[in-house]
Amino acid sequence: MGWKQELSEAYRTPGELISQNGIELTESEELFFKKTEQNYFSFSVPRYYLSLIENRTIDPVRRQCIPSVEEFSVKPWELDDPLGEEKYKVSDRLIHRYRDRVLFLVTDTCAMYCRHCFRRNFAGGKRDVVTAQELKTAAEYISEHREVVEVILSGGDPLTLETAVLDRILSALKKAREDIVIRVGTRIPVVLPSRIDAALTDTLKRYSPLFVMTQFNHKNEITGRSSTACSMLIDAGIPVLNQAVLLKGVNDTTEDLENLFHALIRLRIKPYYLFQGDLAAGTSHFRVSLQKGLALMRELRERLSGLSLPVYAVDLPGGGGKIPLNGDYIGSLTDKGWELKNAEGKIFYYPEE
Ligand SMILES: *Cc1c(COP(=O)(O)O)cnc(C)c1O
């Protein structure tokens, strides 16, 4: 079965989960689907990813893919634009937040809609695939802005695009700037590994230097199939790095994180970032307190090599940007939350929930 068929057969309704998979929904999962007359974040899970669920209720895979009613509980400090990107938008799809790199949202479609998604305002929306005109605008922008060294393809998931479409996008960017470095942000190796086929790796390797940034959050996501997908990329000369998200009930113990990072380096994947949860609306049930995150990192630093230890980082709410969570940036815990300094020395607050 080809990947496109696999993608089209992903579960998109609770009925399919129950009738075709024998999954019994918990009360909070069932309540989510009952509330879907409200505006909710898309649901889709490939059968492969669902098959990785081991335990009926408390399971790291299940938590990431099956929605719960807690997504409707929005905290006052949560934001529709958690990274404050609006003011850095060059266009609907191009975000120029840091001097030397731009983020290009090439599609709004994902194979799986992660329940902890912080781009839930874009992903699964109505913006579909980048148009020829939008691609031209982006290519012109990087051609005129020589300070831009990297383009990060994101979305949505760029690898849900057909290989020929990806080829067109990459080719336009390279034509505009021969020296451009490309990153592809994708969960495809984790949630739909069959998508990584020879045609794709043959295409991607023509656009070197090109890096794939994926997101494994738990060791249970590392299987024969996902390992093969990553090996195919790496063997084609495409480096793979991992950006994990610290998630309550998924990977918020030293043991979970240690097992994950060790498994990743065995696959030749460098753990790049461990992200503190962004303040996206309806994701508070996933957020681990900053205090706990710092304690986990202290323990991991004692146990892990530099190769296997990622940088613990947060994207500051309100547009402050990404900062590593270490002594240079962390101030004290105040009534308004943690005092965090961004690269320019400005103070931002992150709540201690
Ligand atoms: C995360 C991010 C980047 C990349 O940041 P790195 O620290 O280089 O990985 C670039 N642009 C935007 C808007 C981002 O959110």
Side-chain angles (χ1 to χ4, degrees):
M1 184 164 58
W3 69 270
K4 273 181 254 179
Q5 191 178 344
E6 245 187 85
L7 183 55
S8 73
E9 288 178 358
Y11 295 120
R12 293 188 173 82
T13 65
E16 291 170 319
L17 284 181
I18 300 160
S19 64
Q20 299 182 35
N21 239 283
I23 288 233
E24 253 181 81
L25 295 183
T26 64
E27 200 175 331
S28 70
E29 289 167 349
E30 207 167 328
L31 273 171
F32 172 91
F33 289 111
K34 281 204 179 124
K35 278 200 174 206
T36 50
E37 71 279 4
Q38 290 186 33
N39 191 17
Y40 75 105
F41 181 51
S42 302
F43 168 66
S44 167
V45 53
R47 295 173 184 212
Y48 158 79
Y49 191 73
L50 196 83
S51 77
L52 305 184
I53 294 178
E54 288 176 343
N55 182 301
R56 202 184 81 79
T57 46
I58 312 156
D59 186 287
V61 169
R62 181 180 189 124
R63 230 173 124 65
Q64 292 180 75
C65 68
I66 302 187
S68 93
V69 74
E70 291 161 292
E71 288 185 37
F72 290 108
S73 129
V74 176
K75 305 290 177 202
W77 51 85
E78 289 182 334
L79 305 158
D80 285 335
D81 177 19
L83 310 189
E85 286 177 332
E86 201 50 48
K87 61 181 177 230
Y88 296 104
K89 275 189 172 170
V90 172
S91 71
D92 232 17
R93 294 184 180 273
L94 203 63
I95 301 160
H96 193 178
R97 169 65 183 83
Y98 307 99
R99 186 174 185 279
D100 74 340
R101 49 214 192 271
V102 292
L103 194 70
F104 187 20
L105 308 174
V106 292
T107 175
D108 70 357
T109 300
C110 290
M112 175 179 107
Y113 293 98
C114 307
R115 304 328 300 178
H116 55 276
C117 180
F118 69 93
R119 239 176 243 299
R120 55 212 296 124
N121 260 0
F122 187 87
K126 297 263 176 310
R127 270 164 285 202
D128 205 27
V129 181
V130 64
T131 63
Q133 185 53 47
E134 289 169 328
L135 178 57
K136 191 161 163 261
T137 307
E140 277 167 10
Y141 186 84
I142 61 164
S143 137
E144 284 159 14
H145 290 77
R146 309 305 289 190
E147 74 275 19
V148 174
V149 171
E150 292 177 35
V151 176
I152 302 163
L153 302 190
S154 183
D157 197 317
L159 297 190
T160 58
L161 298 174
E162 293 189 27
T163 304
V165 177
L166 264 175
D167 198 6
R168 215 175 308 143
I169 293 170
L170 294 168
S171 156
L173 297 174
K174 274 279 195 202
K175 218 172 270 162
R177 280 281 301 281
E178 208 188 326
D179 59 340
I180 205 77
V181 175
I182 291 162
R183 285 196 224 173
V184 179
T186 178
R187 275 209 96 180
I188 283 288
V190 185
V191 300
L192 192 75
S194 61
R195 164 62 186 111
I196 312 292
D197 55 18
L200 178 70
T201 57
D202 284 349
T203 298
L204 295 182
K205 79 178 187 196
R206 284 194 283 114
Y207 296 99
S208 172
L210 181 150
F211 295 74
V212 165
M213 320 298 286
T214 193
Q215 186 193 131
F216 285 96
N217 291 323
H218 193 274
K219 191 175 65 101
N220 289 5
E221 296 173 326
I222 299 177
T223 63
R225 287 179 67 184
S226 61
S227 302
T228 302
C230 293
S231 293
M232 284 174 70
L233 289 164
I234 297 165
D235 289 344
I238 301 157
V240 180
L241 289 85
N242 193 68
Q243 307 191 137
V245 187
L246 183 57
L247 298 169
K248 191 190 279 180
V250 174
N251 59 12
D252 57 340
T253 68
T254 316
E255 197 187 19
D256 282 328
L257 292 170
E258 182 176 8
N259 289 339
L260 171 67
F261 300 144
H262 276 160
L264 287 169
I265 55 167
R266 261 181 240 115
L267 289 178
R268 298 176 284 169
I269 299 172
K270 164 68 190 157
Y272 174 52
Y273 276 136
L274 173 67
F275 283 120
Q276 171 65 17
D278 292 316
L279 302 178
T283 60
S284 65
H285 53 301
F286 282 113
R287 275 197 303 278
V288 176
S289 76
L290 203 82
Q291 187 131 35
K292 181 165 179 194
L294 292 167
L296 286 169
M297 281 307 286
R298 267 193 300 275
E299 283 177 44
L300 289 170
R301 208 167 304 126
E302 279 177 25
R303 294 184 186 207
L304 298 183
S305 71
L307 184 65
S308 43
L309 192 69
V311 172
Y312 180 39
V314 68
D315 228 308
L316 292 167
K322 277 195 194 70
I323 58 160
L325 286 163
N326 64 39
D328 293 345
Y329 298 87
I330 304 173
S332 43
L333 180 55
T334 71
D335 289 348
K336 289 199 267 179
W338 286 91
E339 226 172 57
L340 303 174
K341 237 186 275 173
N342 78 350
E344 292 102 50
K346 258 178 81 177
I347 305 283
F348 292 81
Y349 292 93
Y350 189 96
E352 180 70 17
E353 289 169 65

